[in-house]
Amino acid sequence: MSSITIDDLYAAIRDVPDFPSPGILFRDITPLLLRPDLLDAAVKHMVAPLDGKKVDKVVAIESRGFILGAPIALALGSGLVPARKVGKLPWRTRRMEYALEYGTDAIEVHLDAMGKGDRVLIVDDLIATGGTVHAAARAVEEAGAQLLGVTVLIELAELNGRDRLPEDADVWTVMRYPRQV
């Protein structure tokens, strides 16, 4: 790992109050993305728990999950499965609806993106209430693939998002809010 510390990663996260709606405190990773050394460290921290595990597919959740999912898939030698907003994929899809802390939405994956026997890792920038990641986990299950776990850069622990995932799913996070010292 580089000389970048977890404290450096925390320092790069920008808090944006009342986005995307009043009462939401958005944890913005954009300042981290602006620095290649921080992005590299974040990706290395996110793949570290997978050392020695065979991962066939990385399901990256739109949109910031794409940013992190692509280098993670490359680092693991895995295929990349985009989990996109409805209507954005050009072929037949599997659709999963989910609840957000500020509304509802859905994601889609191509029907042929993963299948029986695939070992799958889900990647996103953040887990809050767990709705999006839970929807991605359901897509993995419906495809007959095996969910190895979920890796996220940030977890909003007070929202208990990991509780929505299958009990046997590993969840790896680099940073947690509230911050544990």
Side-chain angles (χ1 to χ4, degrees):
M1 204 74 56
S2 68
S3 62
I4 299 296
T5 67
I6 294 292
D7 287 336
D8 295 326
L9 298 177
Y10 273 106
I13 304 302
R14 175 174 34 215
D15 292 345
V16 181
D18 300 321
F19 183 83
S21 60
I24 303 295
L25 178 60
F26 188 83
R27 304 289 182 174
D28 182 13
I29 68 168
T30 307
L32 181 147
L33 299 175
L34 292 172
R35 290 194 37 198
D37 57 337
L38 294 178
L39 176 58
D40 181 60
V43 167
K44 286 178 179 171
H45 279 289
M46 291 176 77
V47 299
L50 283 298
D51 188 36
K53 295 185 181 178
K54 181 181 183 307
V55 178
D56 299 304
K57 304 287 173 67
V58 170
V59 173
I61 300 172
E62 187 168 350
S63 66
R64 290 170 303 277
F66 291 173
I67 296 166
L68 298 168
I72 288 171
L74 287 172
L76 295 172
S78 308
L80 181 68
V81 177
R84 301 230 35 207
K85 295 183 187 316
V86 173
K88 298 294 184 179
L89 291 172
W91 197 66
R92 295 185 323 205
T93 61
R94 174 176 285 112
R95 178 182 175 152
M96 300 292 161
E97 294 185 4
Y98 61 94
L100 298 166
E101 61 272 26
Y102 48 83
T104 61
D105 211 341
I107 59 168
E108 294 179 331
V109 296
H110 279 148
L111 285 175
D112 63 352
M114 57 190 149
K116 187 171 173 62
D118 282 336
R119 298 169 46 86
V120 179
L121 173 70
I122 296 172
V123 173
D124 207 354
D125 67 318
L126 180 138
I127 186 169
T129 63
T132 315
V133 173
H134 179 250
R138 287 189 354 255
V140 171
E141 180 183 324
E142 281 194 15
Q146 176 190 356
L147 177 61
L148 294 176
V150 176
T151 186
V152 295
L153 183 60
I154 297 170
E155 179 179 6
L156 303 181
E158 291 179 331
L159 296 177
N160 302 312
R162 67 174 57 220
D163 295 346
R164 300 207 42 210
L165 296 171
E167 284 186 26
D168 60 343
D170 288 321
V171 180
W172 301 289
T173 62
V174 177
M175 296 180 282
R176 295 182 80 178
Y177 291 93
R179 187 169 180 185
Q180 298 170 333
V181 183

